[in-house]
């Protein structure tokens, strides 16, 4: 085959271009730290990486949901604990007054302290976090309990997503623990009944002893609310560790697919550099050879 | 047979070697001329004559200056040029499209969609929150902006391709005119028995240029002229006549049309159908980008916008807003170009509830669930797939990647093939300086030899003349 200087020049250019293109793509990887910089670098891996990115983003969203939901549950928990201790106090008052002894004035004072405790219960029932009244159900933008104890909220529980399709309630069903929705005890009304029984002249001792039982059941109702909240918190915690584990796994896979192994890239780059320098040197030498130098 | 014959023989040698030196000079001068084929001098000995029973030669003559030329290679290079340029055009456009779909190192539509559904999740935790509602509106606006940006960058690529057609058509017309001119020069040169080597090189170069711009079928006539027709359009050059290729606005696009041979543009001229197969060259690549590649991606993007609008609006309408009114439209529009937030929408009108309570998050949850529910999307190739929005978008960007990679590979292969063909052509027709320099010495020495013969013959003649004196 005849070899002409034009061929030598074309070949040299072509091969130098190939070498440069290889070094360029490797340099892009090293500079960005990413194995796949464009979908065309490796379309199928690119798709997997995008799916991983998407799942990781979803995981972050669920983590954020869990954080916010747990906060709401903890606020509810605190309020219920407060309600629970007030209930203990009310039970004690009821037990202390079961005999109906004491003057009318003394019993009226007991009635006043029951009023004060009822107000505290209403305040607890109006517990708010970031503008959300936790016992308001779906009507949670205004205090659910009026000062007379009537209820403005709704009997719904707010659920949020903690994993795809998995919903966990982050509130109780509106005023459930205080109002005993669906067959429970309306605590505020029963306190009013207790107060009436104590302050009657003469006191309604049978009524008072009946109310002691009612208040015991009412305290159980609050405790039941606490248990429900605790259950939700447990679910939140397990969802959180699930999501965190999942995130770690996804991140590991993502990094193994996308992060550049610098040692490998460095060795590769050195190899390419050596080859490219050799190509440059030989091109420069061969291009200069000519019979003209000798005639 | 006298001494005079020696002079004749030597003179023929001097003339032949001088001509060979001229051709060598021409080769050296054209070592870098594109399309030049090296020329060789074909020397033959003159007829011999019978002198006193001995056959004696009468010198040398140059019977032709030949052009090193391989028509097979020319055919290959022409075909290779067409497909290489077609793929290169596709690759260039696809590489312009790819960055819009690249979410590997930057955020784009995919993360905007994630952000949109994430904002619904946030809203579901605090359905009445003003901050959450505002965040939802701004995330929605970001997603809408991303749709618009992608639509604009895709449409730009199609518009640029459409504009390019005018330039390509003008290039084809110019090359065709030049080829018709070269054809007429070949005819004129051959009519006076001249040597048309350089003009034929021009002819071959023009055919290669034409093949870069469009797929052609071509043949060489016995008179040395080239006949060319364009795939999908018809006769372009025949003999000394050429047709005009031009673009004509038809609606929002340009039609590529061709006039009859040697005729002016006419409204009845044939237009190129974009479905025509094997259009090839820059023309074919540009039309593929404008009529198939970009519309395919746009259709996918539009189906994404349309499905999101339908699904979100449908669920949104089932809910009620902060005032307890039924949810209105959330998005307006149906395509990636005209999708927008409904003009009547504000943060109070986001319908997060199903029952009407401000703290009801059930509709927000339902809309957030659209993220992972399967919708029906159109792929760039026109098939319908049922998958989630983000998975569809991820596979769409993967499809773009595959298309870019495919075009890059075809271009690289075409380039390697062309390089190989050009090497072969160069090996066959290219000028080698070393060879020409060797020839230079060879012919120079032959020239000196022939001169020496004349010198010797002169001395012989002098000797004879001195004998007489």
């Amino acid at each position: 085959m005849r070899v002409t200087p034009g061929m030598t020049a074309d070949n040299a250019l072509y091969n130098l271009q190939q070498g440069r293109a290889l070094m360029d793509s490797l340099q892009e990887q090293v500079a960005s730290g990413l194995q796949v910089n464009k979908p065309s670098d490796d379309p199928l891996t690119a798709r997997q990486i995008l799916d991983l990115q998407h799942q990781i983003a979803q995981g972050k969203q669920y983590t954020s949901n869990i954080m916010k939901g747990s906060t709401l549950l903890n606020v509810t928990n605190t309020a219920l604990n407060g309600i629970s201790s007030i209930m203990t106090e009310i039970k004690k008052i009821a037990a202390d007054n079961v005999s109906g002894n004491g003057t009318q004035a003394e019993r009226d004072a007991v009635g006043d302290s029951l009023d004060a405790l009822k107000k505290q219960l209403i305040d607890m029932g109006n517990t708010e976090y970031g503008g959300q009244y936790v016992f308001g159900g779906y009507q949670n933008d205004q205090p659910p309990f009026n000062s007379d104890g009537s209820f403005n909220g709704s009997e719904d529980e707010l659920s949020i997503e903690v994993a795809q399709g998995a919903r966990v309630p982050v509130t109780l069903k509106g005023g459930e623990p205080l109002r005993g929705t669906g067959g429970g005890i309306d605590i505020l009304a029963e306190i009013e009944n207790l107060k009436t029984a104590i302050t009657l002249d003469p006191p309604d001792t049978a009524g008072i002893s009946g109310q002691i039982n009612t208040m015991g059941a009412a305290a159980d109702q609050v405790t039941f609310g606490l248990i429900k909240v605790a259950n939700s918190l447990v679910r939140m915690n397990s969802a959180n560790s699930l999501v965190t584990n999942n995130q770690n796994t996804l991140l590991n896979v993502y990094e193994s697919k996308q992060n550049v192994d610098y040692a490998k890239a460095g060795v590769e780059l050195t190899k390419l550099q050596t080859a490219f320098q050799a190509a440059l040197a030989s091109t420069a030498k061969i291009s200069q050879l000519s019979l003209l130098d000798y005639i | 047979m006298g001494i005079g014959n020696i002079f004749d023989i030597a003179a023929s040698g001097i003339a032949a070697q001088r001509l060979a030196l001229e051709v060598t000079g021409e080769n050296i001068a054209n070592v870098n001329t594109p399309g030049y084929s090296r020329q060789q001098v074909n020397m033959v000995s003159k007829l011999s004559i019978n002198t006193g029973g001995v056959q004696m030669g009468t010198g040398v003559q140059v019977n032709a200056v030949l052009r090193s030329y391989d028509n097979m290679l020319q055919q290959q290079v022409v075909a290779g040029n067409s497909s290489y340029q077609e793929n290169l055009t596709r690759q260039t456009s696809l590489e312009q499209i790819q960055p819009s779909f690249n979410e590997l190192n930057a955020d784009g539509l995919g993360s905007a969609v994630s952000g949109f559904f994430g904002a619904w999740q946030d809203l579901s935790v605090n359905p009445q929150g003003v901050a959450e509602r505002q965040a939802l509106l701004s995330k929605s606006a970001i997603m809408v902006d991303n749709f618009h940006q992608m639509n604009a960058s895709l449409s730009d690529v199609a518009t640029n391709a459409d504009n390019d057609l005018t330039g390509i058509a003008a290039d084809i017309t110019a090359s065709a005119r030049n080829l018709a001119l070269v054809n007429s020069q070949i005819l004129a040169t051959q009519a006076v028995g001249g040597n048309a080597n350089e003009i034929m090189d021009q002819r071959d170069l023009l055919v290669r240029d034409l093949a870069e711009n469009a797929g052609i079928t071509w043949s060489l006539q016995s008179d040395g002229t080239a006949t060319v027709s364009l795939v999908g359009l018809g006769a372009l050059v025949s003999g000394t006549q050429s047709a005009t290729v031009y673009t004509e606005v038809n609606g929002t696009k340009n039609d590529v049309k061709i006039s009859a041979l040697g005729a002016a543009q006419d409204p009845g001229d044939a237009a190129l159908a974009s479905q025509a197969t094997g259009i090839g060259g820059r023309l074919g690549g540009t039309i593929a980008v404008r009529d198939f590649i970009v519309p395919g991606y746009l259709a996918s993007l539009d189906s994404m916008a349309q499905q999101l609008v339908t699904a979100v609006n449908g669920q949104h309408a089932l809910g009620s807003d902060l005032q307890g009114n039924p949810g209105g439209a959330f998005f307006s529009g149906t395509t990636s170009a005209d999708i927008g937030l409904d003009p009547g929408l504000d943060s109070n009108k986001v319908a997060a509830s199903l029952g009407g309570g401000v703290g009801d998050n059930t509709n927000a949850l339902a809309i957030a669930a659209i993220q992972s529910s399967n919708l029906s999307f159109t792929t760039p190739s026109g098939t319908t797939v049922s998958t989630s929005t983000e998975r569809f978008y991820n596979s769409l960007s993967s499809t773009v990647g595959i298309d870019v990679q495919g075009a890059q590979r075809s271009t690289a292969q075409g380039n390697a093939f062309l390089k190989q063909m050009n090497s072969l052509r160069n090996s066959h027709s290219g000028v080698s300086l070393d060879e020409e320099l060797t020839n230079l010495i060879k012919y120079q020495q032959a020239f000196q030899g022939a001169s020496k013969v004349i010198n010797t013959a002169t001395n012989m003649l002098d000797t004879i003349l001195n004998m007489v004196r």
Side-chain angles (χ1 to χ4, degrees):
Chain A
M1 185 173 173
R2 276 177 88 240
V3 178
T4 64
M7 286 163 71
T8 312
D10 283 352
N11 273 333
L13 270 179
Y14 179 83
N15 291 323
L16 289 180
Q17 274 297 313
Q18 303 284 313
R20 274 219 183 276
L22 280 177
M23 286 203 300
D24 192 53
S25 72
L26 199 58
Q27 198 276 337
E28 190 185 25
Q29 286 189 352
V30 172
S32 66
L34 305 176
Q35 297 242 33
V36 184
N37 284 285
K38 302 184 286 298
S40 63
D41 288 348
D42 186 347
L44 296 179
T45 310
R47 187 208 155 108
Q48 290 171 342
I49 290 171
L50 288 176
D51 275 345
L52 285 167
Q53 280 181 353
H54 161 60
Q55 288 181 46
I56 291 168
Q58 253 187 342
K60 277 186 187 151
Q61 181 63 48
Y62 288 133
T63 312
S64 144
N65 286 1
I66 289 169
M67 290 294 296
K68 290 177 186 165
S70 301
T71 311
L72 268 179
L73 283 169
N74 282 324
V75 170
T76 312
N77 196 35
T78 312
L80 283 176
N81 276 325
I83 290 173
S84 179
S85 56
I86 292 171
M87 288 313 295
T88 314
E89 214 162 314
I90 291 175
K91 270 186 343 197
K92 185 169 172 290
I93 290 175
D96 288 351
N97 290 283
V98 70
S99 58
N101 294 338
T103 64
Q104 182 67 35
E106 278 168 352
R107 283 182 286 113
D108 280 348
V110 171
D112 287 347
S113 59
L114 278 177
D115 266 346
L117 288 172
K118 183 183 161 195
K119 276 209 180 69
Q120 278 186 44
L121 279 182
I122 290 174
D123 284 348
M124 294 287 181
N126 286 339
T127 300
E128 171 219 34
Y129 170 72
Q132 276 173 292
Y133 289 88
V134 294
F135 296 112
Y138 285 167
Q139 300 292 346
N140 61 359
D141 59 335
Q142 54 199 353
F145 291 97
N146 296 330
S147 53
D148 63 354
S150 57
F151 186 63
N152 288 327
S154 77
E155 309 288 0
D156 301 291
E157 63 182 8
L158 187 71
S159 295
I160 62 167
E161 257 190 13
V162 293
Q164 197 175 317
R167 292 181 186 176
V168 174
V170 291
T171 66
L172 299 171
K173 286 185 177 151
E176 186 185 29
L178 280 177
R179 288 167 38 77
T181 316
I185 297 157
D186 185 345
I187 296 178
L188 296 176
E190 295 300 339
I191 291 174
E192 208 57 43
N193 291 342
L194 176 63
K195 181 186 158 196
T196 315
I198 291 175
T199 53
L200 263 180
D201 193 17
D204 174 6
T205 47
I208 295 173
S209 57
Q211 284 308 97
I212 291 177
N213 290 337
T214 311
M215 286 304 149
D220 288 350
Q221 178 175 308
V222 173
T223 311
F224 181 65
L226 271 169
I227 292 171
K228 271 176 96 174
V229 168
N231 277 342
S232 280
L233 274 171
V234 168
R235 282 186 68 187
M236 285 287 177
N237 281 339
S238 78
N240 194 30
S241 57
L242 199 74
V243 170
T244 312
N245 272 342
N246 211 3
Q247 288 287 87
N248 285 341
T249 315
L250 288 173
L251 274 172
N252 278 339
V253 178
Y254 172 80
E255 281 169 10
S256 74
K257 285 196 184 296
Q258 185 60 309
N259 283 8
V260 166
D261 178 350
Y262 281 102
K264 193 177 144 211
V267 172
E268 198 87 348
L269 200 59
T270 316
K271 217 166 74 185
L272 284 179
Q273 195 188 357
T274 314
F276 191 68
Q277 275 169 346
L280 281 177
S282 63
T283 304
K285 286 229 163 76
I286 288 176
S287 304
Q288 280 172 0
L289 292 179
S290 168
L291 195 56
L292 264 178
D293 296 336
Y294 305 98
I295 55 175
Chain B
M1 176 90 197
I3 286 178
N5 280 15
I6 303 179
F7 281 109
D8 287 345
I9 291 171
S12 76
I14 285 179
Q17 305 311 327
R18 204 212 62 218
L19 196 95
L21 279 169
E22 268 180 43
V23 170
T24 307
E26 172 82 358
N27 282 342
I28 293 175
N30 282 298
V31 66
N32 289 326
T33 308
Y36 181 80
S37 306
R38 84 189 152 107
Q39 299 180 16
Q40 283 167 306
V41 175
N42 195 22
M43 296 184 190
V44 291
S45 50
K46 282 188 178 174
L47 285 178
S48 56
I49 50 171
N50 194 328
T51 9
V54 181
Q55 284 287 335
M56 286 291 297
T58 55
V60 64
Q61 68 174 0
V62 172
N63 80 339
V65 178
L66 294 174
R67 170 171 168 264
S68 284
Y69 173 73
D70 186 337
N71 195 41
M72 178 69 193
L73 279 176
Q74 164 79 356
Q75 300 270 13
Q76 299 269 22
V77 172
V78 166
N81 264 339
S82 267
S83 64
Y84 171 67
Q85 290 295 341
E86 180 180 4
N87 287 322
L88 188 64
T89 308
R90 294 161 64 110
Q91 181 194 337
T92 313
S93 295
L94 282 165
E95 280 176 347
Q96 288 169 27
I97 292 171
Q98 180 168 241
S100 309
F101 287 91
N102 187 3
E103 304 230 353
L104 292 164
N105 47 19
D107 286 350
L109 180 59
S111 58
V113 172
S114 277
F116 169 72
F117 286 115
W120 279 106
Q121 289 274 5
D122 285 338
L123 185 64
S124 77
V125 181
N126 186 9
Q128 45 158 323
V130 178
E132 280 83 355
R133 285 169 175 264
Q134 281 300 343
L136 170 66
L137 289 188
S138 58
K139 294 278 180 174
S140 310
I142 290 171
M143 186 176 81
V144 163
D145 287 347
N146 267 293
F147 268 118
H148 292 172
Q149 272 168 20
M150 293 199 61
N151 180 282
S153 63
L154 280 171
S155 303
D156 277 354
V157 171
T159 310
N160 286 342
D162 193 48
N163 291 338
D164 286 349
L165 286 178
T166 310
I168 294 169
D171 260 11
I172 294 175
T173 304
S175 298
R177 285 216 178 105
N178 286 337
L179 186 58
L181 198 66
V182 163
N183 275 348
S184 64
Q185 285 171 348
I186 290 173
L187 290 175
T189 312
Q190 286 182 341
V192 297
N195 176 354
N197 280 349
E198 277 84 358
I199 310 176
M200 287 178 175
D201 284 342
Q202 284 296 309
R203 176 199 68 197
D204 294 346
L205 190 62
L206 282 167
V207 170
R208 290 205 290 274
D209 281 353
L210 275 173
E212 284 185 5
N213 277 320
I216 57 171
T217 50
W218 66 289
S219 57
L220 290 182
Q221 307 303 310
S222 52
D223 57 10
T225 61
T227 307
V228 179
S229 49
L230 289 174
V231 175
L233 275 172
L236 181 66
V237 179
S238 176
T240 60
Q241 285 192 316
S242 69
T244 306
V245 178
Y246 59 100
T247 53
E248 192 176 82
V249 178
N250 177 9
T252 55
K253 288 179 178 179
N254 280 312
D255 269 350
V256 179
K257 300 183 101 176
I258 190 168
S259 74
L261 281 172
Q265 299 177 10
D266 183 90
D269 286 342
L272 180 65
S274 51
Q275 293 82 8
T277 47
I279 301 173
R282 287 195 189 99
L283 185 65
T286 309
I287 283 180
V289 168
R290 184 194 69 175
D291 292 344
F292 300 111
I293 297 176
V294 169
Y297 295 149
L298 269 181
S300 286
L301 207 58
D302 282 349
S303 82
M304 215 173 125
Q306 189 260 331
Q307 288 291 313
L308 270 180
V309 168
T310 312
V312 172
N313 277 358
Q315 187 61 46
H316 193 252
L318 298 178
S320 25
D321 64 14
L322 271 187
Q323 276 87 36
N325 300 318
F330 191 87
F331 290 115
S332 62
T334 50
T335 67
S336 57
D338 66 5
I339 185 176
L341 291 183
D342 191 80
L345 188 73
D346 61 41
S347 62
N348 289 332
K349 295 206 169 117
V350 172
S353 85
L354 276 178
V358 292
D360 180 0
N361 68 349
T362 37
N363 206 34
L365 283 174
I367 292 179
I370 293 173
Q371 181 176 28
S372 45
S373 65
N374 284 355
L375 302 174
S376 167
F377 299 102
T378 312
T379 64
S381 54
T383 50
T384 305
V385 292
S386 176
T387 181
S388 77
T389 314
E390 278 153 322
R391 278 183 200 286
F392 174 71
Y393 179 75
N394 291 346
S395 69
L396 182 59
S397 51
S398 173
T399 308
V400 174
I402 291 172
D403 287 350
V404 173
Q405 198 186 41
Q408 281 171 342
R409 283 188 180 154
S410 308
T411 311
Q413 275 164 13
N415 195 16
F417 174 76
L418 266 187
K419 185 204 143 252
Q420 187 61 25
M421 286 303 121
N422 278 324
S423 278
L424 283 175
R425 193 195 162 273
N426 247 324
S427 173
H428 196 267
S429 310
V431 175
S432 161
L433 276 180
D434 301 336
E435 183 184 358
E436 299 304 329
L437 289 169
T438 315
N439 282 345
L440 201 62
I441 295 168
K442 188 171 87 180
Y443 294 134
Q444 187 190 6
Q445 286 183 342
F447 184 88
Q448 285 170 347
S451 306
K452 187 73 184 167
V453 171
I454 291 189
N455 205 0
T456 311
T458 310
N459 287 343
M460 285 163 66
L461 207 54
D462 280 351
T463 312
I464 291 170
L465 285 175
N466 281 337
M467 267 169 31
V468 174
R469 203 173 288 148

